[in-house]
C-alpha cells in the first residue's frame, strides 16, 4: 500500500490512497457491499497478512479495551468525578482566581493517549493496569473569553505558528488584578505602558500549589466514602491525580487552560474548505470554541507561549467517524505507544491528525465499510511513515502549521524504520498489543479481587440516591461506548450537589 499524500483533498482520492481502497472503490462488483469471502485477493501485498485475520485481531483488541463495567464500577467512577469537581470548587474559593461559574471539558483518555495536543516528554511513565484502571483528561479554564461573536485575533508575533502569547488587555481590570502574579511583564516601546502576558508556567505553578493544598486539607478530614488520593504529581504543566475508589484506580490529568468562544482568525481559511463532516453536523457545532493549552513550541518561550487546542471541535468531529475506522485508530494508537515506549517526536496526536486528514481525503462510502478495519489500520501506518519520511504532518485545523517541522533527520528515520517493522508484520504487533491489554486487565482484576473483601463504605446519601446511580450508569455508558466524548460541566462551588452535567445537548 502506498502512503496517501496528506495535503490532497477529497477530490483527489481517485489518484491517491492505498491500493486496496482504489481497487475496492473502483470494482464494478463492490457497489458498497461487504467484501467477498477471504481468499488470495484478500492478502495485504506488503506483509502477506490475511485481511480477515487482521480484522479479527482488531476486533479482539477492541473487546479488550472496551471492558464491561458493572454497577459498582460505574458508581465508583461517579464518586471519583464528584470528588474532582468538588475539589476544584474548593480551589476556586482559595483566592477567587478561577471563574465562579466554570465550564470544564472532560475527555475519556489521559494526556498520554493524545486526546489533546501537548508535549509528552514532561510526563512520567504511567500505564493502565500498573498505575490506573481508567484515565481521563479534564480541561479547567483559568480564564474565559466568551463574549465575542467574531473571529478571535491572538498575538502571534512572538511565537511559532499554532501558538500564541496572551495579553490580559483583552480582559477587565478585575481579572488583571487577580492574575498579576501569574503574568510576565513587557513594556511598549512607544507608550511605555506595561502589558501583562498570561504565563502558562506561572499559571501551572499556582494551579499545582492550589490543588495540592486543597487535597492536603481534604485528607486531614476524611469523610465516609471519600476517594483515596493515591498520587498527586506534576508533569510539566499537567497535574496528574490518581484516585482510589473501592477497587478502582482512576487517573485524572488536569490541565489549566484559557477558554474562548468563537474561532481563531488563524484557522479561518480552514472553514472555507470541504470537509468530511459537511452536512452531518453544523458549522456552529464545530466552531463553538477553542482553547489555549500550556504547551510551547520547540523554540518558543515557555513562560509566555500557549498552544491552540481544538479539543472541543474534535469531540464533535468524532461523531462523524465510522466505528470501523475508530477501531483501527485505537489499535494503531496502542501499537504506536507500545512501539515507541515514550514517544516524543511522534505522538498519538499526530495519528489523530492523520486520521482526520484521511476522512477528508477518502470517499465516505469507503470509510463506512464495516469490514475494512484492517485496511484502515494499514493505511494509517502508511500515512504515518509518509509523514516521517517527508517530515510533514499538517495540523488539521491550521494546515499551514507543520507539526513535524523541527524533527531531526535522525529521529524521523529511526521512527520510520520502527513503523516499517510494524508494516512488515502487522498481525504480530496486533497480537502483542492484545496480550498487553489482557495483562493490564488481569492486573486490574487481581487488584479488585484482593480489595473485594475490603470495599470502601459509601456515604448514606450515595447509597440511598437512585438518581446518582442512574447518572453514573449513563455517564459510564457514554464514556465506554464513545471514546473521546465530551462532558461539559457547569459547577457552582457553593452547591456541588445539584445536577451540573451537559452531555452534548442533554442536561443532567
Amino acid at each position: 500500500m502506498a502512503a496517501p499524500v496528506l495535503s490532497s483533498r477529497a477530490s483527489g482520492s481517485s489518484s491517491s490512497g492505498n491500493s486496496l481502497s482504489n481497487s475496492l472503490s473502483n470494482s464494478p462488483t463492490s457497489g458498497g457491499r461487504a467484501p467477498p469471502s477471504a481468499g488470495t485477493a484478500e492478502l495485504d501485498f506488503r506483509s502477506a497478512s490475511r485481511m480477515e485475520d487482521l480484522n479479527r485481531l482488531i476486533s479482539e483488541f477492541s473487546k479488550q479495551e472496551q471492558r464491561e463495567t458493572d454497577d459498582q464500577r460505574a458508581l465508583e467512577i461517579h464518586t471519583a468525578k464528584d470528588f474532582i469537581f468538588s475539589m476544584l470548587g474548593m480551589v476556586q474559593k482559595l483566592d477567587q482566581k478561577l471563574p465562579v461559574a466554570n465550564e470544564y471539558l472532560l475527555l475519556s483518555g489521559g494526556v498520554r493517549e493524545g486526546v489533546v495536543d501537548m508535549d509528552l516528554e514532561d510526563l512520567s511513565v504511567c500505564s493502565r493496569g500498573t498505575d490506573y484502571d481508567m484515565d481521563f483528561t479534564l480541561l479547567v479554564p483559568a480564564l474565559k473569553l466568551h463574549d465575542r461573536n467574531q473571529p478571535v485575533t491572538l498575538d502571534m508575533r512572538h511565537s511559532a505558528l499554532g501558538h500564541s502569547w496572551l495579553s490580559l488587555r483583552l480582559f477587565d481590570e478585575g481579572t488583571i488584578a487577580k492574575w498579576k502574579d501569574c503574568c510576565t511583564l513587557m513594556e511598549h516601546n512607544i507608550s511605555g505602558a506595561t502589558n501583562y502576558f498570561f504565563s502558562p508556567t506561572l499559571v501551572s505553578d499556582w494551579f499545582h500549589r492550589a490543588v495540592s493544598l486543597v487535597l492536603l486539607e481534604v485528607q486531614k478530614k476524611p469523610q465516609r466514602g471519600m476517594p483515596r488520593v493515591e498520587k498527586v504529581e506534576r508533569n510539566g504543566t499537567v497535574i496528574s491525580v490518581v484516585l482510589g475508589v473501592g477497587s478502582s484506580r482512576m487517573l485524572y490529568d488536569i490541565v489549566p487552560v484559557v477558554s474562548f468562544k468563537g474561532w481563531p482568525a488563524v484557522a479561518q481559511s480552514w472553514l472555507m474548505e470541504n470537509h468530511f463532516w459537511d452536512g452531518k453536523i453544523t458549522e456552529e457545532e464545530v466552531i463553538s470554541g477553542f482553547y489555549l493549552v500550556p504547551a510551547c513550541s520547540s523554540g518558543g518561550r515557555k513562560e509566555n507561549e500557549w498552544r491552540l487546542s481544538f479539543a472541543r471541535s474534535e469531540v464533535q468531529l468524532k461523531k462523524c467517524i465510522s466505528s470501523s475506522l475508530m477501531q483501527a485508530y485505537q489499535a494503531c494508537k496502542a501499537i504506536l505507544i507500545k512501539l515507541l515506549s515514550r514517544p516524543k517526536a511522534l505522538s498519538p496526536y499526530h495519528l489523530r491528525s492523520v486520521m482526520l486528514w484521511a476522512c477528508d481525503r477518502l470517499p465516505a462510502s469507503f470509510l463506512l465499510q464495516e469490514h475494512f478495519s484492517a485496511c484502515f489500520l494499514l493505511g494509517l501506518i502508511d500515512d504515518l511513515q509518509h509523514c516521517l519520511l517527508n517530515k510533514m504532518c499538517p495540523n488539521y485545523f491550521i494546515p499551514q502549521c507543520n507539526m513535524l517541522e523541527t524533527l531531526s533527520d535522525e529521529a524521523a528515520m529511526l521512527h520510520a524504520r520502527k513503523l516499517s517493522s510494524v508494516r512488515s508484520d502487522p498481525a504480530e504487533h496486533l497480537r502483542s498489543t492484545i496480550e498487553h491489554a489482557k495483562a493490564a486487565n488481569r492486573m486490574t482484576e487481581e487488584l479488585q479481587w484482593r480489595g473485594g473483601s475490603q470495599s470502601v463504605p459509601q456515604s448514606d446519601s450515595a447509597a440511598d440516591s437512585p438518581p446518582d446511580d442512574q447518572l453514573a450508569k449513563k455517564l459510564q455508558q457514554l464514556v465506554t461506548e464513545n471514546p473521546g466524548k465530551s462532558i461539559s460541566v457547569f459547577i457552582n462551588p457553593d452547591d456541588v450537589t445539584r445536577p451540573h452535567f451537559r452531555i452534548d445537548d442533554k442536561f443532567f
Side-chain angles (χ1 to χ4, degrees):
M1 293 185 179
V5 180
L6 291 178
S7 59
S8 63
R9 308 298 304 167
S11 60
S13 60
S14 61
S15 59
S16 64
N18 58 59
S19 58
L20 180 60
S21 67
N22 285 333
S23 63
L24 286 169
S25 60
N26 294 329
S27 170
T29 60
S30 63
R33 297 190 299 272
S37 58
T40 55
E42 293 297 312
L43 293 178
D44 169 39
F45 188 91
R46 174 70 183 89
S47 66
S49 299
R50 285 165 51 95
M51 304 301 281
E52 182 181 38
D53 292 341
L54 295 180
N55 279 328
R56 178 180 52 79
L57 290 169
I58 293 172
S59 178
E60 173 63 20
F61 173 77
S62 297
K63 291 177 182 177
Q64 293 297 326
E65 284 292 290
Q66 297 176 358
R67 302 171 301 282
E68 293 185 4
T69 302
D70 56 19
D71 293 347
Q72 180 61 31
R73 173 65 73 87
L75 189 57
E76 290 169 352
I77 293 171
H78 181 54
T79 301
K81 174 268 310 168
D82 269 353
F83 177 83
I84 291 291
F85 293 154
S86 297
M87 178 271 293
L88 290 173
M90 296 173 68
V91 169
Q92 194 280 332
K93 289 182 178 180
L94 279 180
D95 49 16
Q96 306 295 315
K97 284 185 183 292
L98 294 180
V100 175
N102 216 349
E103 182 177 347
Y104 306 151
L105 184 66
L106 179 63
L107 301 168
S108 177
V111 171
R112 295 166 184 80
E113 296 289 316
V115 295
V116 287
D117 182 16
M118 296 192 68
D119 303 320
L120 302 185
E121 58 263 27
D122 294 329
L123 300 181
S124 62
V125 176
C126 195
S127 59
R128 186 172 70 83
T130 304
D131 303 290
Y132 61 86
D133 306 314
M134 300 191 69
D135 54 335
F136 304 90
T137 297
L138 185 64
L139 304 187
V140 178
L143 285 177
K144 298 192 303 181
L145 195 62
H146 287 185
D147 58 349
R148 296 189 174 191
N149 292 316
Q150 56 188 8
V152 180
T153 302
L154 299 169
D155 188 351
M156 298 183 174
R157 295 172 298 171
H158 312 287
S159 54
L161 195 60
H163 299 76
S164 177
W165 292 21
L166 180 64
S167 170
L168 290 192
R169 287 183 300 172
L170 296 171
F171 300 87
D172 56 55
E173 290 297 327
T175 301
I176 295 176
K178 286 181 185 178
W179 288 104
K180 272 186 179 181
D181 58 339
C182 292
C183 292
T184 58
L185 305 180
M186 184 171 292
E187 293 185 357
H188 287 288
N189 295 329
I190 300 177
S191 64
T194 300
N195 198 354
Y196 294 93
F197 286 96
F198 206 44
S199 169
T201 54
L202 293 178
V203 170
S204 299
D205 289 343
W206 164 81
F207 191 58
H208 179 251
R209 289 194 303 269
V211 168
S212 298
L213 179 61
V214 166
L215 290 177
L216 186 63
E217 290 299 316
V218 167
Q219 292 177 87
K220 288 180 180 178
K221 301 177 181 179
Q223 299 179 1
R224 189 182 181 192
M226 188 181 78
R228 306 179 305 276
V229 180
E230 299 190 353
K231 181 186 291 186
V232 180
E233 185 177 61
R234 180 173 179 179
N235 291 294
T237 55
V238 178
I239 310 300
S240 298
V241 179
V242 177
L243 298 178
V245 188
S247 57
S248 300
R249 300 161 302 160
M250 294 161 213
L251 168 66
Y252 274 84
D253 284 331
I254 310 175
V255 186
V257 300
V258 182
S259 176
F260 292 85
K261 291 294 185 186
W263 198 247
V266 69
Q268 200 69 21
S269 61
W270 177 80
L271 296 176
M272 304 297 107
E273 302 289 338
N274 296 322
H275 297 290
F276 72 97
W277 47 268
D278 293 338
K280 299 175 184 176
I281 53 177
T282 65
E283 185 174 288
E284 288 71 23
E285 291 177 284
V286 175
I287 65 172
S288 60
F290 68 99
Y291 298 98
L292 294 181
V293 298
C296 181
S297 63
S298 59
R301 293 177 57 176
K302 286 189 175 182
E303 66 272 19
N304 280 354
E305 194 171 88
W306 299 78
R307 180 174 298 162
L308 274 74
S309 170
F310 301 91
R312 186 186 298 275
S313 301
E314 289 168 3
V315 169
Q316 299 297 325
L317 297 185
K318 286 178 72 174
K319 298 177 183 177
C320 306
I321 299 176
S322 67
S323 59
S324 53
L325 178 55
M326 281 305 303
Q327 286 184 358
Y329 164 76
Q330 295 293 346
C332 189
K333 181 175 69 172
I335 292 173
L336 184 69
I337 292 174
K338 188 174 183 297
L339 180 74
L340 304 181
S341 182
R342 297 186 63 191
K344 296 180 180 180
L346 193 66
S347 76
Y349 190 81
H350 291 104
L351 176 63
R352 176 176 292 207
S353 299
V354 163
M355 177 181 65
L356 292 173
W357 281 118
C359 289
D360 270 1
R361 184 179 70 246
L362 295 164
S365 58
F366 171 67
L367 293 172
L368 289 173
Q369 295 286 343
E370 294 182 2
H371 306 285
F372 282 12
S373 292
C375 180
F376 300 153
L377 172 68
L378 299 176
L380 289 172
I381 297 172
D382 286 342
D383 271 8
L384 282 174
Q385 283 188 290
H386 180 87
C387 289
L388 287 168
L389 293 174
N390 291 275
K391 294 199 299 184
M392 171 65 70
C393 184
N395 183 290
Y396 181 68
F397 299 93
I398 311 175
Q400 62 271 33
C401 174
N402 175 17
M403 296 188 293
L404 296 180
E405 184 175 10
T406 60
L407 183 65
S408 68
D409 292 342
E410 293 78 11
M413 187 57 63
L414 173 65
H415 286 74
R417 286 188 180 126
K418 289 184 176 182
L419 283 177
S420 179
S421 69
V422 177
R423 191 62 184 82
S424 298
D425 195 353
E428 179 58 32
H429 284 83
L430 280 171
R431 292 188 193 99
S432 177
T433 302
I434 290 170
E435 289 304 314
H436 188 76
K438 286 181 177 179
N441 289 340
R442 283 195 299 269
M443 188 174 297
T444 296
E445 291 170 359
E446 289 174 5
L447 289 171
Q448 290 175 343
W449 180 80
R450 292 174 190 171
S453 59
Q454 301 176 354
S455 58
V456 176
Q458 301 171 11
S459 65
D460 294 337
S461 60
D464 299 332
S465 176
D468 273 358
D469 189 37
Q470 293 173 7
L471 177 59
K473 292 178 182 178
K474 181 63 175 177
L475 174 63
Q476 179 57 22
Q477 180 183 354
L478 288 172
V479 169
T480 55
E481 293 182 358
N482 303 277
K485 203 79 167 178
S486 74
I487 302 175
S488 296
V489 184
F490 299 88
I491 185 168
N492 180 350
D494 295 320
D495 184 7
V496 298
T497 62
R498 300 181 61 186
H500 47 263
F501 297 98
R502 185 184 72 190
I503 302 175
D504 289 340
D505 297 325
K506 296 181 180 179
F507 286 82
F508 295 85

